[in-house]
Each structure stands twice: as structure tokens, then as C-alpha cells.
Amino acid sequence: MLRVRFAPSPTGYLHIGGARTALFNWLYARRHGGTFVLRIEDTDTERSSWDMVAGIVEGLRWLGLDWDEGPDVGGPHAPYFQSQRVDRARVLAEQLVASGRGYYCYCTAETLQQKRQAAEATEGGWIYDRTCCALTADAIADRERLGTPRAIRFKVPDGATVFTDLVHGPITFDNAHIEDFVVLRSDRHPTYHLSVVADDMDMHITHVVRGDDHISNTPKQVLLYQAFGASHPEFAHVPLILGPDKKRLSKRHGATSVMEYQRLGYLPEAMVNFLALLGWSPGGDRELFTRDELIAAFTLNGISGGNAVFNPEKLDWFNQQHIVRLPLDELARRLEPVLRDAGLWTADLLGSRRDWFLRLVELIRARVKKLDQFAEEMRPFLQEDVQYDSSAVAKHLNNTEVKDALGSFAETLDRVVPYTSQSLDAALRGLAESRGIKAASLIHATRVAITGRAVSPGIFDVLELMGAERVSARVRDAIKFLPK
């Protein structure tokens, strides 16, 4: 059975690149009825923290990416924290020595640094010179007897390492350029290469889908699989994500933590749709997908070999499209925390005033790109006092020709039956014509009187939703801004 894993290092929150990698793995597993494993690679104890693990888990859950095996759900290959699996890696490291595929290295960090600096000063490059590989059995025994600290290095064979990448095709590395790399440090901590291979073997991972920046790591890992007599998983290296300036995505491009996008008002459905199309295409021109549609369409063949560009404007477009398509009841439910933070929420909005609130959500949602924008757009409807924009007042209420007309309109509003946008439209235009003023002038003045702003949804829809009593009161209150 197909088994994939997402194995983040908890040294930072879930960023956009990691989220896209997790999504590709999740889609591939769900597409083929496989298993998606979450494994925390927390061997960097100085930089890892539980807060970071919690942040990664929170980000994945917000995106709706569930895992079949992992830290909090368990599974047949627990534990799922790499720091709890170091004993297994140590056994494998010693196994390499016993089989002649590895050897003890007693070189100190200072010695290695001196050799590297000397080589770079003359030749420009250096790889480990196998000093300790040439030690005799007696020399090794002497060092062991003295308890000399030592690492374990993998002995890279001659020749080339070849693997077929499911995105890039066949890839060949000349082993002459791969030094005998450390698999177990002198402090008995396994390195990344040994840990990841040990865990992937034990967890029967069949496919490794990860970023292009890991391609250079792959030959070392393939060599380890071969040394342990195991078949390596299929590798698929996906393109990196670049910022609009075509440089690798980083904090300088804005928010990169997934949860920051939640706070900015993005829907997880929109983020998933957007991330899926960063470096992958289902073919054709279609861009909008539900989660289930992405699962049905996803293939590794659709992953591009070129880097993807993170376009914030495109993300905004996706978000707006998903806001429009979200079921009205669900959208209203998700607005509760947004409106609560803005001090605009009352329990009756999903209670006794639910039908009215849903009409308000429907009126507003075509005008916004992010959830947090709903609060400002809804403020004139949900707040009793009108907050007048001074420039709007100066432009549209400081006009003698609309003074009497606006006062008359307040009286007309009381007699409009039925109180609908169509009837209100007809009443205003009829009044404007009878007074010999432009309907647009009275419309703008009415909008400022009702909302305090120069811009709003269609004014007659606003009037209908506000209701006759509230609208009449606001128009009368606004007349005080008119010139005497």
C-alpha cells in the first residue's frame, strides 16, 4: 500500500513551503487510498520546541489535512517523534561499521576545520580525506581503550549513484563528489541522513514527496538504503516557491506562517486551492477546485519541474471566489469570530435575526476578498451610531440643493409600501424629478446619511435591509450636516 509522510522539523511554524509539501503528500495518499503519516523530526533539540510542534499541527488542521498515523493518533510504527527513535539509528550506524560500509572517525572538529581551511586556501574545495578509514585495527583498539570520542562515517563506494525522480526523471551523481558523510556524531546523535532513512524504512514509506532543495541529499540516502539491503522509496522533488521578485519565499515577502493567513481572513479552502496550483497543474485552464476535486485530479505527473511564484493578488482572487461559493450558513458561522473581534457580534445574529443576517452576508460577500473585511463593511448595519466620513459629508451633504429634497425623502420613506429596493428606487427618483435635481445627487446624499460613507453596496438594497424605521431616523439625523 502507498505510504507517504510529512516530516517537518519543529524549529518554526508551518510555513507556506511546508504546507504545500504536506498538501501534495496528503492529496497523493487520498487519491490512491494510501496512508499519510505525520512524523516530527525533532532531533535539533536546541531549536525544537513543543510550541512549534503545536503550531505545525494547528496549521495542518486549519488546512484540513488529517493524518492516518502520527504523534496524536498513534499507529503501528510509533513513536512518531524522531527524538524517540535515536536508539534504532544508533544500531543501524554500528551495523554499517560491522558490515564494512562505515567506519569510526576520531578526527576532532578543530582538525577538520584546519584541513578544510588549508585546502580552500590553495585548491578551493575539500572533502574528507579518509584519514580514519586508513587506521589499523590496533590503532582503532588503542583509541577505543582510551575512550577517544568518535563519530561514524559512511564509506561512499566508487562509481555513481542513480535514481529516477518522478518529477525530474533520471538523476545521476558522481560518487567522487560525495564525501564519506557522518551518520552518527561523536555525541551519539544520528545525523539527518541516517535518521530519515531509518524512520522511512521502519515506517515502510513508499514515496517521498519533498522540495527540490532535498535533491542533493537523495544520493546519500539512496546509498544508505543500498547498504542496509533495502529498496529506497520513489522520490518526487517538487519545485521551490519563489516570491514575486523570483527569490526564495521568505519573511520579507510578507506572512509566511500558514496561521498568519488565517488571521488575515483567508479561507482554508482558498489556501488549499491556491497551494495545490503552485507547481502542479491538472491540465487545462480550470483553476477553482474543491478539496474532493483536487483529490480526484491529483497526480505526480502534473507537477512542474520549474519553480512556482507566490502571487498574493492571485491568492486574494482565490479567496474571493471561495467566499462567494461558500454555503451562506457556513460563511455566516465563520464570521462570528471576525465580528466578535471587531466588537460587532451579538448572539441574535444567528438566533432571532438569523434570516436578516444571512441577507446581510449575501449583500456584502461579493464586495470583499478576505473575511476580516466583512467587519468594516457590516459596521453601518450592526452599529447603532453612524460614523461619518468627513470627506463624504463635505462632498455629498454640503449641498444646498439636496437639503430640502433629503428632508422630503425622510417623509417619503415613511409612506413607501412595500418597503423593497424597487419601490425605494422609484420613490427616490420620483422625488428627485419633482424637485428638479439629479437623482445621483440624492442617492449619494442618502448613502452618506445612512452609512456615513461615500461607498456602499447598492443603496436601495441597503435601505431595504436597514428597514424603514432605522433609515428614516438616520436620514433625519444626517440633515444636521446640511448647510443652513
Side-chain angles (χ1 to χ4, degrees):
M1 180 180 287
L2 182 144
R3 292 175 59 83
V4 296
R5 47 74 166 177
F6 177 55
S9 175
T11 55
Y13 294 104
L14 182 64
H15 55 79
I16 289 299
R20 198 272 309 266
T21 298
L23 175 62
F24 281 4
N25 278 280
W26 184 85
L27 289 172
Y28 195 47
R30 297 293 174 258
R31 173 73 174 81
H32 295 282
T35 299
F36 178 57
V37 178
L38 174 63
R39 186 176 73 226
I40 305 299
E41 296 191 342
D42 59 341
T43 50
D44 187 349
T45 54
E46 291 185 359
R47 297 175 59 206
S48 299
S49 72
W50 174 251
D51 285 344
M52 294 302 181
V53 174
I56 291 170
V57 168
E58 182 184 25
L60 292 173
R61 284 180 173 154
W62 179 67
L63 291 171
L65 307 185
D66 57 329
W67 44 97
D68 306 297
E69 299 176 23
D72 55 344
V73 300
H77 305 290
Y80 294 93
F81 286 93
Q82 199 171 76
S83 61
Q84 299 172 20
R85 305 178 63 86
V86 293
D87 287 342
R88 166 65 171 155
R90 289 166 182 159
V91 169
L92 290 174
E94 295 292 348
Q95 183 179 314
L96 290 173
V97 176
S99 66
R101 302 300 298 270
Y103 57 91
Y104 296 138
C105 178
Y106 301 92
C107 297
T108 65
E110 293 76 15
T111 298
L112 296 174
Q113 180 67 14
Q114 290 171 3
K115 289 185 176 182
R116 182 175 291 106
Q117 291 176 344
E120 290 175 349
T122 56
E123 304 167 12
W126 181 79
I127 63 175
Y128 183 63
D129 55 10
R130 289 188 167 177
T131 296
C132 292
C133 187
L135 292 176
T136 64
D138 288 342
I140 293 173
D142 289 341
R143 286 166 173 77
E144 289 296 301
R145 189 165 46 251
L146 293 171
T148 305
R150 39 91 163 151
I152 293 179
R153 288 184 181 271
F154 179 79
K155 186 177 181 180
V156 177
D158 295 334
T161 299
V162 181
F163 63 95
T164 299
D165 189 277
L166 297 178
V167 174
H168 300 283
I171 296 178
T172 301
F173 281 85
D174 186 346
N175 290 357
H177 301 304
I178 305 175
E179 73 170 354
D180 290 356
F181 53 95
V182 173
V183 293
L184 191 71
R185 299 185 183 94
S186 58
D187 62 4
R188 301 284 292 163
H189 277 85
T191 61
Y192 165 74
H193 296 298
L194 179 59
S195 294
V196 74
V197 168
D199 293 347
D200 283 348
M201 284 196 304
D202 289 349
M203 295 180 184
H204 305 291
I205 299 302
T206 62
H207 293 74
V208 171
V209 183
R210 59 188 181 185
D212 268 350
D213 50 339
H214 282 283
I215 288 181
S216 60
N217 294 329
T218 306
K220 296 179 181 179
Q221 292 162 19
V222 168
L223 288 170
L224 284 171
Y225 279 106
Q226 293 172 349
F228 294 128
S231 299
H232 64 76
E234 298 281 355
F235 291 99
H237 290 92
V238 302
L240 300 180
I241 301 176
L242 306 180
D245 57 1
K246 303 301 175 64
K247 295 181 180 179
R248 188 166 180 175
L249 194 67
S250 67
K251 292 180 179 179
R252 70 177 178 275
H253 296 106
T256 53
S257 164
V258 165
M259 295 311 296
E260 182 65 19
Y261 286 95
Q262 182 199 34
R263 288 185 284 274
L264 291 172
Y266 292 93
L267 295 175
E269 294 90 343
M271 182 60 76
V272 164
N273 193 165
F274 174 71
L275 289 177
L277 297 180
L278 281 180
W280 171 79
S281 172
D285 298 327
R286 183 182 176 188
E287 292 185 293
L288 291 172
F289 292 86
T290 65
R291 198 180 308 268
D292 288 341
E293 288 170 340
L294 287 172
I295 291 172
F298 188 81
T299 65
L300 295 180
N301 292 337
I303 297 176
S304 165
N307 290 326
V309 176
F310 186 98
N311 184 343
E313 293 180 358
K314 190 68 173 181
L315 174 57
D316 286 349
W317 179 83
F318 273 109
N319 206 53
Q320 184 178 45
Q321 295 301 312
H322 280 275
I323 285 175
V324 170
R325 286 161 173 76
L326 199 65
L328 200 56
D329 283 351
E330 176 62 18
L331 178 56
R333 185 187 67 79
R334 297 195 198 184
L335 287 176
E336 178 177 349
V338 174
L339 297 177
R340 192 180 295 281
D341 288 345
L344 298 173
W345 181 259
T346 54
D348 60 354
L349 292 178
L350 287 181
S352 59
R353 288 203 292 166
R354 179 177 175 278
D355 290 343
W356 177 85
F357 182 57
L358 292 180
R359 290 173 60 198
L360 175 59
V361 173
E362 184 64 53
L363 179 65
I364 297 296
R365 69 169 165 180
R367 300 174 54 83
V368 301
K369 294 181 179 180
K370 295 181 285 187
L371 292 185
D372 62 328
Q373 295 171 343
F374 273 95
E376 193 55 33
E377 290 286 337
M378 288 182 168
R379 189 173 295 279
F381 297 87
L382 301 178
Q383 193 166 275
E384 285 304 317
D385 296 331
V386 180
Q387 296 179 347
Y388 293 97
D389 177 78
S390 58
S391 60
V393 169
K395 183 174 182 179
H396 298 296
L397 290 184
N398 191 22
N399 187 333
T400 54
E401 72 175 358
V402 301
K403 176 182 179 181
D404 293 339
L406 193 60
S408 297
F409 189 48
E411 298 174 0
T412 301
L413 287 169
D414 296 333
R415 301 190 298 270
V416 174
V417 178
Y419 200 83
T420 63
S421 60
Q422 294 84 356
S423 299
L424 292 163
D425 187 346
L428 182 145
R429 294 182 189 280
L431 178 62
E433 184 177 358
S434 69
R435 297 249 172 200
I437 64 173
K438 294 180 180 179
S441 297
L442 187 52
I443 286 173
H444 292 316
T446 301
R447 176 177 287 110
V448 177
I450 300 303
T451 68
R453 306 170 180 187
V455 178
S456 76
I459 186 59
F460 300 109
D461 292 326
V462 171
L463 296 178
E464 179 181 343
L465 199 56
M466 285 277 191
E469 182 179 348
R470 201 175 187 191
V471 168
S472 296
R474 287 192 175 186
V475 170
R476 289 184 170 92
D477 286 343
I479 292 175
K480 63 186 179 184
F481 288 104
L482 293 169
K484 302 296 184 184

